[in-house]
Amino acid sequence: MSIRRIAMAVGLITILLLSATPAMAASTESDHRRQRLELACARVPNITIRVEKVLARINGDADTIGSIAWLETKADDARENGRDKLAEFIENRIAVRTERIDVLKNRLDNLAEAAAACEARR
């Protein structure tokens, strides 16, 4: 066999291998995306439950530990006992939790959209 034929054979084999590689890479990439999407869809219900629990705790009554009403009671008690810095610290926590309510409600809306998209995908 001549060197010219060997070179042509090697060239053809290289072209065939290089043209097949992107197709194989695309299929593995789509498989990887599909797996990631399935994992994300599986997490949506658990995250929804966790966000709802946090919202329930924040909006709870004065007997619910961690609620805004509970913190307000603690701040009032601290002011009555002359612990103004502690009361100010607790009021800052109340402000942060109050701001967090909107974030959590937006997150619930996003999770509902994600759940609908996952359901439509099936």
Side-chain angles (χ1 to χ4, degrees):
M1 200 181 247
S2 71
I3 294 178
R4 186 174 179 195
R5 284 188 178 185
I6 294 172
M8 282 182 56
V10 169
L12 283 173
I13 291 172
T14 305
I15 289 172
L16 288 174
L17 287 175
L18 290 177
S19 66
T21 304
M24 291 183 343
S27 68
T28 58
E29 184 178 318
S30 66
D31 290 341
H32 182 67
R33 272 193 187 153
R34 184 180 43 77
Q35 289 173 350
R36 288 181 57 197
L37 187 58
E38 287 174 5
L39 289 173
C41 286
R43 293 184 63 199
V44 169
N46 294 334
I47 295 171
T48 303
I49 291 170
R50 290 177 64 189
V51 171
E52 288 171 346
K53 280 183 177 181
V54 171
L55 271 173
R57 185 180 316 122
I58 288 174
N59 291 324
D61 60 359
D63 294 331
T64 305
I65 296 176
S67 69
I68 292 174
W70 181 78
L71 286 171
E72 288 171 346
T73 304
K74 295 294 180 186
D76 292 341
D77 291 344
R79 287 229 188 269
E80 287 175 9
N81 293 329
R83 301 183 70 189
D84 293 332
K85 288 192 179 208
L86 177 62
E88 185 178 335
F89 177 77
I90 294 171
E91 288 169 355
N92 289 338
R93 288 175 62 190
I94 292 170
V96 168
R97 292 209 179 147
T98 303
E99 292 173 3
R100 194 170 177 200
I101 291 172
D102 291 334
V103 172
L104 292 172
K105 286 182 180 177
N106 287 338
R107 187 163 295 160
L108 273 179
D109 293 340
N110 292 340
L111 287 168
E113 290 176 13
C118 289
E119 230 8 81
R121 191 178 154 272
R122 291 181 189 210

